[in-house]
Amino acid sequence: MTGPMEREERKDFPARLYRLYERITLPFTIYFLLASDRIHDDYAMTTWRKMRLGYRMYRNTKKIWTGISYRAHLAMAVKLLELPPNFRGDVVECGCYRGGTTANLSLVCGIVDRHLYVYDSFEGLPDAVEGDEYASAMGNRFLAADIDQVKQHVAEHGDIGRCTFVKGWFKDTLPQHESPIAMAFLDVDYQSSLNDCIINLWPHLHDRGYVFIDEYVLSDFCALFYSERFWLEQFDRTPPGLFGGGSGVQVGHYWLGPFGGSSITGGSKSIAYTRKHFSGHWNFFPED
Ligand SMILES: C[S@@+](CC[C@H](N)C(=O)[O-])C[C@H]1O[C@@H](n2cnc3c(N)ncnc32)[C@H](O)[C@@H]1O
């Protein structure tokens, strides 16, 4: 598959060596990332089922172009598998592009019996809002993917019966979201889009629900999760913080950051998350 974001695959020796390394370590990566003993028994995730799921998720990221690594997908899978079946809530994905992450999240939703709401403009990035450090007029409509093609990807490689696709700009569609949320995954590139997602979805998030983000390498993007002002003004609470902000959670890869990274190893492959009950609030002022 070709598209605006694909990079030519390097064919020199170091790049080939790294690809070999990735393939050799694949079973270990899947095994260790899915080795949580908190995975709920009801999902009957035997080692064999975990390995099959992990391998399918890995393969899907090769079949449908996605900016997200299968390692990050596995990290979200584990957290969903750890939630007990009586933990209320759906899964929400904001920003699906061609549906690579959607396909993998839908497979996990099939196991844990949850619904997946997929929000995207399907017209790419929105107009730049003044003050948004990451938005630019040049970005307009970049990352547009056709909704029918995305649905076809998910039908072929995921569990489309679990999905509802909602087309439109987040500022118009997310205020209509009604159902409780167990986990949200936000890969939305712009500060204004992140703002729309959090303002509209956070109130529906289960008390111990998860919000994962992709842009964890950008400190000033992650800063929303530490902004005393934002959380006070919007939700009358202290900020929740962000686990993995800056470097991502430890999914096993070589990456020193902050941007780009080695072109051999492909840069960052992780994800960051918070939970509704987490705290990123500094509360130690001995001089008071
Ligand atoms: C980097 S892509 C997502 C990649 C995807 N997570 C994957 O796995 O390949 C960002 C997506 O967010 C969508 N998007 C960003 N801001 C939006 C907004 N305000 N409203 C609707 N869609 C938006 C874009 O259309 C694009 O599909």
Side-chain angles (χ1 to χ4, degrees):
M1 193 169 289
T2 57
M5 289 178 73
E6 272 94 332
R7 264 183 248 136
E8 276 234 344
E9 204 172 65
R10 281 178 50 162
K11 296 205 165 58
D12 55 358
F13 176 71
R16 281 176 200 274
L17 186 63
Y18 184 73
R19 282 199 290 279
L20 177 67
Y21 164 82
E22 267 228 310
R23 267 176 229 137
I24 292 171
T25 54
L26 177 65
F28 299 98
T29 305
I30 298 171
Y31 180 83
F32 288 123
L33 281 178
L34 293 183
S36 164
D37 52 14
R38 290 195 219 138
I39 289 180
H40 202 277
D41 289 345
D42 280 19
Y43 306 132
M45 291 303 287
T46 58
T47 303
W48 174 241
R49 279 193 81 200
K50 287 182 193 173
M51 296 306 291
R52 273 201 355 209
L53 174 70
Y55 184 66
R56 190 163 172 198
M57 290 170 77
Y58 166 76
R59 246 191 17 216
N60 279 348
T61 61
K62 305 291 165 200
K63 289 186 174 162
I64 313 168
W65 194 95
T66 165
I68 315 291
S69 147
Y70 80 99
R71 294 164 191 257
H73 291 166
L74 287 176
M76 290 191 277
V78 179
K79 295 302 178 191
L80 275 174
L81 289 164
E82 287 179 353
L83 296 179
N86 64 0
F87 189 104
R88 283 189 71 215
D90 297 314
V91 179
V92 172
E93 181 187 15
C94 291
C96 67
Y97 190 37
R98 296 187 189 165
T101 302
T102 317
N104 280 345
L105 284 177
S106 73
L107 291 176
V108 186
C109 283
I111 297 170
V112 299
D113 193 21
R114 296 183 192 275
H115 199 74
L116 175 61
Y117 285 91
V118 184
Y119 288 95
D120 202 295
S121 65
F122 298 100
E123 291 179 39
L125 297 170
D127 292 341
V129 172
E130 210 183 315
D132 186 334
E133 294 226 11
Y134 290 97
S136 85
M138 274 161 55
N140 276 11
R141 310 302 179 256
F142 180 54
L143 299 173
D146 176 63
I147 186 167
D148 292 326
Q149 194 193 42
V150 175
K151 284 181 179 173
Q152 193 189 326
H153 286 158
V154 180
E156 277 172 26
H157 303 293
D159 185 348
I160 190 119
R162 293 278 161 186
C163 304
T164 298
F165 293 86
V166 187
K167 179 174 160 64
W169 302 112
F170 297 150
K171 65 180 171 47
D172 304 320
T173 54
L174 295 180
Q176 322 301 325
H177 186 90
E178 283 179 347
S179 66
I181 298 172
M183 177 187 287
F185 171 52
L186 317 177
D187 180 6
V188 299
D189 293 15
Y190 283 4
Q191 287 174 308
S192 63
S193 299
L194 179 66
N195 182 72
D196 291 340
C197 291
I198 296 293
I199 285 177
N200 290 295
L201 298 180
W202 192 265
H204 299 286
L205 192 66
H206 186 290
D207 286 350
R208 300 177 81 81
Y210 288 90
V211 172
F212 281 81
I213 67 160
D214 170 57
E215 285 82 8
Y216 63 90
V217 299
L218 307 169
S219 307
D220 48 0
F221 207 88
C222 296
L224 177 130
F225 296 91
Y226 290 93
S227 165
E228 311 262 337
R229 179 176 164 190
F230 176 87
W231 292 93
L232 183 67
E233 285 182 5
Q234 297 298 335
F235 301 112
D236 194 22
R237 60 161 284 176
T238 53
L242 189 72
F243 197 73
S247 56
V249 291
Q250 299 303 298
V251 292
H253 66 302
Y254 300 102
W255 179 70
L256 302 181
F259 299 107
S262 153
S263 54
I264 300 171
T265 63
S268 63
K269 296 185 186 313
S270 186
I271 200 157
Y273 68 90
T274 191
R275 294 186 81 174
K276 201 162 188 177
H277 64 288
F278 276 8
S279 173
H281 176 61
W282 182 259
N283 200 20
F284 178 67
F285 298 98
E287 64 278 11
D288 283 357

